[in-house]
Amino acid sequence: MGERNAAAGRVLIVMPTYNERQNLEIIVGRIRDSVPEADLLVVDDNSPDGTGDLADKLAEKDSRVQVMHRTEKAGLGRAYVAGFSWALERGYDLIVEMDADGSHRPEDLPKLLDAAPEAGAVIGSRYVPGGTVVNWPVSRKFLSAGANIYTRTMLGVRVKDATGGFRVYKAETLREIDLNGIQSAGYCFQIDMTLRVLQAGLKIKEVPITFVERERGASKMSNSVILESFIRVARWGISARLHGHSAASIRK
Ligand SMILES: Nc1nc2c(ncn2[C@@H]2O[C@H](COP(=O)(O)OP(=O)(O)OP(=O)(O)O)[C@@H](O)[C@H]2O)c(=O)[nH]1
Ligand SMILES: [Mg+2]
């Protein structure tokens, strides 16, 4: 494993957190076991439950863990943009997106990293053969499946899990993208990034994962996050179609 990632280059996992105190230590331990050679950046939005302080304590014990403290809850999209810029400034070769709530299993990460050379970005996918979701209520399954079908239809993307947030980007892919131009704050950020990678003319590879519903802490999914996504995707899709394209086929 060490050899593989040494060949692929330096890996940084960017992990946004908001009130994940109950999850953080467990997930960091699992990351250490699964990908010991990767560095981790926790991007905390001043969580009221003290996640940021706990992250500092973990960072004191482990030089591979770093913490970025931001002042207020501004959405996972903004946290990722800040984390990506941090990674590029420090010369990382592969940048990972991963939730702190245990839904993205660190044990799947070696598989995603192995696929990284084949594409501009790798998505850990729930909706390709072999991918699964564990412990989701029917309502949540509907929301996610519906969001993906809507996105694929509106934008003309073939990616099966365009909203998935367990990903690996090559640094050169992130350099091709205007990160500071990204407005999407919530999970719409994932769709935004999918579109931008395709519009840069790069390939996306989907690798099956097992997605597990969080066991501890509260979801940050909200109606406003869903609405943001619905409106932005409609705007991108309709404006591209008015110009006679699908959004994914526009080259930027
Ligand atoms: N820094 C930061 N992190 C956030 C913010 N919102 C969510 N997160 C983190 O982003 C990750 C995903 O958030 P979740 O609440 O699990 O949202 P989700 O995965 O879209 O929804 P569920 O499937 O219901 O869990 C978690 O690690 C959160 O702590 C935010 O505003 N700022
Ligand atoms: Mg989650």
Side-chain angles (χ1 to χ4, degrees):
M1 191 192 297
E3 270 172 41
R4 180 206 62 230
N5 287 331
R10 291 170 63 223
V11 178
L12 180 72
I13 301 167
V14 181
M15 179 176 281
T17 56
Y18 192 76
N19 287 349
E20 300 290 359
R21 198 181 169 85
Q22 297 163 288
N23 289 310
L24 190 65
E25 194 158 9
I26 299 169
I27 201 76
V28 171
R30 286 171 64 189
I31 288 171
R32 280 279 131 273
D33 290 344
S34 304
V35 278
E37 64 287 350
D39 288 348
L40 170 67
L41 176 69
V42 176
V43 184
D44 187 67
D45 276 1
N46 202 9
S47 298
D49 76 346
T51 303
D53 298 336
L54 175 59
D56 284 337
K57 291 206 180 80
L58 298 176
E60 269 168 36
K61 287 193 287 189
D62 184 346
S63 63
R64 289 203 178 272
V65 179
Q66 309 263 353
V67 191
M68 180 190 288
H69 293 279
R70 289 159 52 83
T71 52
E72 59 180 11
K73 182 168 173 14
L76 75 85
R78 301 216 171 84
Y80 270 129
V81 167
F84 290 170
S85 304
W86 192 98
L88 295 180
E89 281 161 21
R90 283 158 185 81
Y92 284 94
D93 301 294
L94 294 176
I95 294 99
V96 175
E97 278 189 19
M98 188 171 173
D99 290 356
D101 59 3
S103 289
H104 301 150
R105 300 186 312 163
E107 297 74 21
D108 283 336
L109 199 42
K111 203 167 58 171
L112 266 64
L113 290 168
D114 278 344
E118 297 169 42
V122 177
I123 299 183
S125 179
R126 297 162 288 191
Y127 304 126
V128 292
T132 44
V133 175
V134 176
N135 286 345
W136 255 4
V138 175
S139 58
R140 198 65 180 70
K141 279 190 184 153
F142 263 111
L143 176 64
S144 177
N148 269 294
I149 292 167
Y150 174 69
T151 300
R152 286 210 300 275
T153 319
M154 271 292 187
L155 305 181
V157 300
R158 288 201 196 92
V159 175
K160 295 280 192 307
D161 197 350
T163 61
F166 193 13
R167 302 184 172 202
V168 182
Y169 296 102
K170 284 180 181 154
E172 59 213 62
T173 301
L174 297 183
R175 285 204 185 89
E176 291 271 318
I177 289 172
D178 171 24
L179 293 173
N180 293 320
I182 297 179
Q183 303 286 320
S184 307
Y187 84 88
C188 184
F189 171 75
Q190 308 300 0
I191 303 171
D192 206 333
M193 286 295 295
T194 302
L195 206 49
R196 284 169 193 259
V197 170
L198 296 172
Q199 289 174 342
L202 300 170
K203 223 177 100 183
I204 292 181
K205 163 106 186 158
E206 289 187 270
V207 171
I209 57 158
T210 299
F211 179 102
V212 187
E213 168 67 330
R214 63 160 73 237
E215 286 174 7
R216 288 164 297 272
S219 167
K220 280 97 219 169
M221 184 67 80
S222 65
N223 287 342
S224 67
V225 162
I226 296 168
L227 192 65
E228 178 199 31
S229 197
F230 185 84
I231 292 171
R232 284 191 196 278
V233 168
R235 260 198 224 135
W236 294 328
I238 291 165
S239 84
R241 273 165 213 280
L242 287 176
H243 292 91
H245 309 279
S246 78
S249 66
I250 296 172
R251 289 284 169 269
K252 290 227 167 120

